[in-house]
Amino acid sequence: MNHDKEYVIRLSDFDLGQLINGLEVRADAWRYTAAYFETGKTPDGFMLEECNGAHEAQQIEAHYRRIIRQLIEQRAARSPA
């Protein structure tokens, strides 16, 4: 799988905020999944993500957090001072 290809996507500030929010929800789901594997407990109403354990869940969460961080940094760089 090639991870070197980059895309330029144009979104309104509102839509970018919605995208970031959705990614945060996904990252939280992976964080809760990792916590479940470590403690056996989850928040009420939470559905586990399918994975091989806490380590994999933490890696996936970290990947989502990296994407979120990049989007926030790019938005900040384009915002007027």
Side-chain angles (χ1 to χ4, degrees), residues 3-74:
H3 296 290
D4 295 336
K5 189 181 284 189
E6 289 189 9
Y7 293 90
V8 174
I9 300 171
R10 294 184 187 273
L11 296 171
S12 70
D13 189 56
F14 178 79
D15 289 346
L16 179 57
Q18 293 298 304
L19 176 63
I20 291 168
N21 181 263
L23 291 170
E24 287 173 340
V25 169
R26 297 299 303 138
D28 287 344
W30 286 105
R31 180 171 50 90
Y32 295 143
T33 297
Y36 170 79
F37 280 107
E38 293 172 340
T39 67
K41 299 178 183 178
T42 63
D44 288 340
F46 172 73
M47 298 288 293
L48 285 175
E49 298 296 327
E50 188 175 328
C51 66
N52 294 320
H55 180 71
E56 182 181 10
Q58 291 165 344
Q59 288 179 319
I60 295 170
E61 178 198 359
H63 185 83
Y64 274 100
R65 300 286 179 202
R66 182 185 59 76
I67 294 167
I68 293 164
R69 188 171 49 258
Q70 287 178 328
L71 290 171
I72 291 171
E73 288 171 359
Q74 289 177 33

